[in-house]
Amino acid sequence: MAGAPDYSDDVFFNEVDLDAHSAKTVESEAIEFFPTDYRIGRTKYIFVTGGVMSGVGKGVFSASLGHLLKHYGFTVSQIKIDGYLNQDAGTINPYRHGEVFVLEDGTECDMDLGTYERFLDDNLNRNNYITSGRVYRIILDKERRGEYLGRDVQVVPHVTGEIKNLIRTKAHEGPYDILVVEIGGTVGDIENIHFIEAAREMLYDEGRDNVMAVHVTQVPYNASAGELKTKPTQHSVKALLQLGIQPDIVVCRSAIPLNKSVRQKISLFCNIAEDRVVSSPDTDSIYRVPALLDRQETVQIVADKLNVNLPQRTDQRPEMFDIYLKYLSGSHPEIRIAITGKYTALHDSYVSILNALDHSKVAVGAEITTEWIDTTDFSSDQALDEGMLDGISGIIVPGGFGERGAEGKIRFIQYARENGLPFLGLCYGFQLAVVEFARDECGMLEAAHAEFDAETETPVIYLLPDQRKLTGMGATMRLGGHEVKVKVGTEAHRCYGSESAVERFRHRYEFNNQYRELIEHKGMVFSGMTPDEEIMQILEIPTHPFFVGTQFHPELTSRPYRPHPLFRGLVQAALTYAESAENRQVAMEAGQAE
Ligand code: GLN
């Protein structure tokens, strides 16, 4: 009779008691890494990995995907994972790794979180950012508390388990419909291998309906052959397969759009349906990316894969970033804005400033070209080469640390103040504007900033009282969102249209109130401060067309649909300045012609 085979005589089954055997040798391997009340399937996960090379734009892709999913009506959040052993980005030099972004809760993190906040139009928190250092800190602390008693603590399951727990904690916090988790670096890096393993485990633990994988690669263009080359992508997907992950979507970054045959090749070699090979060619604006993904039905693919119904598309914003698309198709008067700084060679160090300018230029209707001025080699007695500022209609002095470049920045601030050139000083820029004003307008020739002259007798900027006893580095500055009380009738008040704002800070030094009376007497106004009026947070000079400094970083909270009011104020003032310079020029030429 046909049927189930009879194994009753099988030696293995008769002689070995499997349960008894396992009980004697090891305890259960199954360690649960779930937050309390966590329900599998409530949140769906999209893991984004990168291949071929770093810097292909995974951050912009992840943010665009988040934006798109939110636009369709899902509740969404995003996590950025970085492989390095730093616990956060607080001690990382922006010249090496790009800007340090600061969240409302004071977390110092990777600049990708800035892109997420701008695209999601949402405030993120500490749970949106995971580094190896943070994971290891949790594990080492637990081990010392005896929480793994009796066990050897291993990469699998403990490290991967803690990673899964952190990811699930963020999901549970919403709870969100979808969490986009971007794993930094490239597949094959030793640094991020435990994160990719955690993603693989989650694909299994939570099920294929609840977790999917997207791989973003670069498809190089071979100009002499006139074609896109798919081989690096094939290799990269194979590397991911070796780690146990079959991507569900491959996003191909390239100089030109993929054609059908390139899609077919990638489809065949990477086990992916042709319509799941998404083309992401270079564009003139990152704000085009969501619409570009939408045209390839990315959300439909995601919904299909994750087995969810597509919610109605929200109609509040008829087109994604429509104001940008409209702006890009028009023509606008051009203005040039100078940015001074140490890290001018690496624009990623100032990425939020560039974004804030972008938001404002769309709102104001101007084309902005940025000019970078490296102030590193200036000495205090060196005269300014004013030719450097020809054609410039606004100047930004950004945040910074240490002595290098400070005197140079002071020269540019002085020029802006004396010549009615619109100026915005950010954090260090605010502090240096005080030093310049004290020296030049208040007769305090030796006025200095304690950060570069600890011995000065006139420290107009000095260490915050809380900072004086601190010795450690990392997460020790005055960080995150704090309230600013805005003085009625000032430029700041005109810009904000409100008497209070929450702004993000990252500093150790502050204005020394001992000099407040003298400085205000000479015409500088502190138009923003803490509600208790202890810490000065915005300065301005009312007789100047636009001279504003902020102890906080307004660039961090500027959003595509809500440009930061002070950036907008600067751009508007720069446009007016440029137009009046043009009028002066026309008048002069007319005068000469007569
Ligand atoms: N170095 C200055 C301080 O610590 C300014 C910091 C900054 O520009 N973010 O206060």
Side-chain angles (χ1 to χ4, degrees):
M1 192 185 79
D6 179 5
Y7 289 120
S8 55
D9 286 339
D10 192 302
V11 176
F12 182 78
F13 272 82
N14 282 341
E15 293 185 356
V16 182
D17 176 347
L18 284 172
D19 281 347
H21 180 72
S22 67
K24 252 184 272 146
T25 52
V26 279
E27 295 156 34
S28 164
E29 280 301 319
I31 301 178
E32 303 270 292
F33 288 98
F34 292 102
T36 328
D37 295 334
Y38 180 84
R39 189 158 60 77
I40 285 182
R42 170 65 186 87
T43 298
K44 312 259 176 176
Y45 299 89
I46 304 176
F47 282 95
V48 180
T49 55
V52 177
M53 59 187 212
S54 61
V56 293
K58 278 197 310 292
V60 170
F61 166 77
S62 303
S64 300
L65 182 60
H67 176 89
L68 193 55
L69 291 165
K70 184 175 174 184
H71 193 79
Y72 271 85
F74 292 107
T75 58
V76 183
S77 197
Q78 314 207 199
I79 287 182
K80 173 71 196 285
I81 291 180
D82 273 322
Y84 42 69
L85 288 165
N86 305 63
Q87 293 179 53
D88 55 38
T91 57
I92 300 180
N93 182 342
Y95 191 56
R96 298 180 66 91
H97 200 78
E99 168 188 273
V100 177
F101 196 78
V102 184
L103 303 177
E104 196 79 21
D105 67 0
T107 301
E108 297 168 287
C109 58
D110 184 76
M111 62 178 200
D112 277 338
L113 277 99
T115 315
Y116 299 169
E117 281 204 343
R118 289 186 281 269
F119 276 66
L120 278 181
D121 198 9
D122 194 8
N123 282 349
L124 305 182
N125 63 30
R126 179 178 154 78
N127 289 342
N128 293 81
Y129 179 52
I130 303 174
T131 66
S132 294
R134 182 159 170 227
V135 177
Y136 280 115
R137 160 71 70 207
I138 292 172
I139 290 170
L140 297 177
D141 286 348
K142 270 195 174 175
E143 190 269 338
R144 288 292 88 173
R145 287 198 303 269
E147 290 186 32
Y148 304 112
L149 221 51
R151 302 285 299 238
D152 46 341
V153 185
Q154 294 177 303
V155 172
V156 181
H158 300 97
V159 174
T160 52
E162 294 299 346
I163 294 167
K164 291 190 287 184
N165 191 37
L166 285 171
I167 294 172
R168 287 169 176 148
T169 300
K170 181 70 214 180
H172 195 50
E173 178 193 288
Y176 298 98
D177 297 335
I178 299 179
L179 195 63
V180 180
V181 184
E182 177 189 346
I183 301 180
T186 314
V187 169
D189 294 348
I190 290 174
E191 282 212 324
N192 64 18
I193 196 141
H194 44 302
F195 293 114
I196 295 183
E197 167 62 12
R200 185 199 64 76
E201 290 175 21
M202 277 185 73
L203 275 154
Y204 175 73
D205 293 348
E206 311 241 348
R208 268 294 189 172
D209 269 359
N210 297 323
V211 185
M212 66 183 285
V214 179
H215 192 53
V216 184
T217 74
Q218 179 74 28
V219 179
Y221 179 66
N222 181 332
S224 57
E227 56 180 18
L228 290 168
K229 300 306 242 178
T230 66
K231 191 66 85 187
T233 298
Q234 296 175 33
H235 281 301
S236 169
V237 169
K238 292 226 160 75
L240 194 56
L241 281 166
Q242 274 179 344
L243 299 173
I245 296 181
Q246 163 68 53
D248 301 295
I249 295 178
V250 173
V251 177
C252 301
R253 292 277 300 107
S254 53
I256 55 169
L258 303 188
N259 61 26
K260 187 155 177 70
S261 84
V262 173
R263 273 179 203 269
Q264 280 174 337
K265 245 193 204 164
I266 294 173
S267 160
L268 178 67
F269 284 104
C270 305
N271 326 311
I272 293 181
E274 230 176 284
D275 64 347
R276 294 185 178 191
V277 179
V278 172
S279 173
S280 181
D282 295 345
T283 61
D284 55 350
S285 164
I286 54 174
Y287 296 108
R288 284 196 197 279
V289 180
L292 193 132
L293 297 177
D294 199 27
R295 281 204 295 283
Q296 298 175 72
E297 309 215 315
T298 309
V299 174
Q300 285 78 356
I301 299 172
V302 167
D304 205 26
K305 181 74 216 18
L306 293 177
N307 205 11
V308 286
N309 293 327
L310 217 51
Q312 284 300 306
R313 221 171 131 134
T314 49
D315 280 331
Q316 298 150 307
R317 289 176 192 162
E319 264 300 330
M320 270 152 299
F321 295 129
D322 51 334
I323 48 171
Y324 283 81
L325 306 183
K326 210 151 84 216
Y327 168 88
L328 289 166
S329 64
S331 74
H332 313 278
E334 196 194 317
I335 51 175
R336 285 165 61 204
I337 293 196
I339 304 177
T340 68
K342 266 198 317 198
Y343 310 134
T344 49
L346 183 70
H347 297 180
D348 269 0
S349 324
Y350 299 111
V351 73
S352 288
I353 294 178
L354 296 175
N355 272 285
L357 285 175
D358 250 12
H359 307 156
S360 298
K361 80 177 184 197
V362 172
V364 169
E367 181 99 52
I368 299 180
T369 311
T370 41
E371 304 285 340
W372 300 88
I373 300 178
D374 187 350
T375 50
T376 325
D377 297 327
F378 267 82
S379 63
S380 53
D381 47 7
Q382 190 180 336
L384 192 75
D385 171 9
E386 294 182 5
M388 284 172 91
L389 291 170
D390 273 353
I392 298 288
S393 354
I395 184 161
I396 295 175
V397 176
F401 294 84
E403 185 176 0
R404 270 176 62 219
E407 289 297 342
K409 288 180 189 174
I410 290 176
R411 309 324 294 255
F412 284 98
I413 294 171
Q414 181 184 13
Y415 179 91
R417 186 176 58 77
E418 291 177 347
N419 292 279
L421 179 67
F423 161 81
L424 183 59
L426 311 171
C427 202
Y428 208 28
F430 163 101
Q431 298 171 348
L432 295 176
V434 172
V435 175
E436 191 281 318
F437 194 80
R439 284 183 188 171
D440 218 51
E441 285 292 306
C442 308
M444 297 160 63
L445 300 181
E446 304 298 315
H449 186 311
E451 185 163 0
F452 58 78
D453 185 356
E455 303 304 317
T456 178
E457 287 182 2
T458 42
V460 286
I461 303 291
Y462 67 171
L463 267 182
L464 284 156
D466 289 352
Q467 293 286 329
R468 291 178 199 149
K469 44 190 184 297
L470 284 176
T471 48
M473 297 288 262
T476 56
M477 283 187 243
R478 178 171 179 257
L479 288 166
H482 296 278
E483 194 181 333
V484 180
K485 189 169 98 178
V486 180
K487 197 167 171 179
V488 180
T490 59
E491 180 71 51
H493 186 251
R494 273 189 293 285
C495 289
Y496 280 103
S498 157
E499 285 176 53
S500 123
V502 174
E503 295 288 358
R504 295 192 195 169
F505 292 78
R506 182 173 189 250
H507 65 127
R508 287 188 204 286
Y509 294 84
E510 65 167 341
F511 174 65
N512 182 345
N513 284 327
Q514 201 187 317
Y515 299 99
R516 183 168 167 194
E517 212 179 294
L518 175 60
I519 285 184
E520 290 208 304
H521 178 69
K522 292 288 180 182
M524 182 173 267
V525 169
F526 290 101
S527 51
M529 53 195 80
T530 44
D532 63 5
E533 306 200 357
E534 281 300 314
I535 306 181
M536 297 304 117
Q537 313 198 121
I538 308 178
L539 64 76
E540 59 188 72
I541 297 177
T543 50
H544 188 286
F546 190 92
F547 189 98
V548 177
T550 61
Q551 182 55 80
F552 49 85
H553 291 273
E555 70 275 22
L556 301 180
T557 45
S558 187
R559 299 274 166 86
Y561 283 87
R562 275 176 290 113
H564 192 284
L566 296 177
F567 267 90
R568 191 185 169 137
L570 172 79
V571 172
Q572 187 65 62
L575 187 60
T576 311
Y577 183 91
E579 279 165 0
S580 59
E582 206 170 293
N583 291 342
R584 276 199 303 275
Q585 182 74 20
V586 172
M588 230 171 71
E589 281 163 15
Q592 280 163 1
E594 271 165 22

